[in-house]
Amino acid sequence: MEVSTESQSNVLCYGDSTGAATVMVSNGAAPYNYSWTDEVSTSSSAEDLKAGTYVVTVTDGQGCEAKDTIEITQPDQVLIYIDPIKPLCKGGSATLYATPPGGEFSGEGVNDGVFSAGSQDSTYVYYSFTDENLCFHIDSALAIVKDYSGPEIISDKLNLCNGETTVLSTGEYAYYRWRRNGVPVPASNQAAITVGEAGEYTVEVSQSNSCKGTSQAVVVEVNPLPSVVLSH
């Protein structure tokens, strides 16, 4: 008695259970008893098979036994990689990248491959890809959205005498714009400025991740020098 593979269908999408196989018996005496690996079937055919090796043992009506080995294969796993998304402040945006190419991004705030941080908190963006076998693959990545309250102005002295100056400073940012009474201070794209005029000072800053903010105002006061009266 001989047992051979009559037909075989391999798994089309990685991880699925879509394989199938049928064996054929020759030179045996009916009836036949079929025993498959993992008891996936008790007949000459088996369906819904995962990738793997299956042994079919056939025993005929005279107690003779024969075996066939079937290897159900599957395509390699498609690994999706989404480039890390830099943290954004609300109002910022970032272009999304992923491999393999040809897929589609989706999720709240996603449009044409760009994530825009609106009013939402941190959220997930999704990348889906359909391969040549029409197998669907999807993965996700966290997009961090921050609330930024703005910088702080630091100074050792805000109450000046006429003719004195003081230094106003803030942290390290990508961009600065200092203002006095709402008017931009010339040549002020720097972390610290020296001032000697009275007024309300603010600084607007932005970071490399598009976070922007404006400080609370600090008030610099300039007092006149005391008068000296000479007596005779």
Side-chain angles (χ1 to χ4, degrees), residues 2-8 10 20-24 35-37 44 46 49 51-58 66-73:
E2 295 179 355
V3 180
S4 59
T5 304
E6 182 177 7
S7 63
Q8 175 181 338
N10 293 315
T22 299
V23 296
M24 177 177 60
S35 176
W36 291 68
T37 299
S44 61
L49 300 179
T53 301
Y54 296 87
V55 177
V56 187
T57 302
V58 180
K67 296 182 180 182
D68 185 29
T69 300
I70 301 170
E71 184 74 25
I72 300 294
T73 64

Side-chain angles (χ1 to χ4, degrees), residues 129-164:
F129 173 78
T130 302
D131 64 23
E132 63 274 10
N133 292 331
L134 301 181
C135 302
F136 181 77
H137 311 271
I138 190 168
D139 203 353
S140 63
L142 180 64
I144 298 175
V145 180
K146 296 181 176 180
D147 281 315
Y148 181 59
S149 59
E152 179 184 4
I153 296 177
I154 301 172
S155 180
D156 292 334
K157 189 175 184 180
L158 295 175
N159 199 334
L160 308 177
C161 289
N162 191 26
E164 289 185 320

Side-chain angles (χ1 to χ4, degrees), residues 78-82 96-107 110 113 125-131 134-141:
V78 174
L79 298 177
I80 291 178
Y81 176 76
I82 302 174
L96 304 172
Y97 298 96
T99 55
E104 181 178 352
F105 283 100
S106 61
V110 176
V125 300
Y126 301 89
Y127 182 73
S128 56
F129 173 78
T130 302
D131 64 23
L134 301 181
C135 302
F136 181 77
H137 311 271
I138 190 168
D139 203 353
S140 63

Side-chain angles (χ1 to χ4, degrees), residues 23-42:
V23 296
M24 177 177 60
V25 180
S26 58
N27 301 324
Y32 300 107
N33 178 268
Y34 299 87
S35 176
W36 291 68
T37 299
D38 298 330
E39 299 181 352
V40 295
S41 177
T42 56

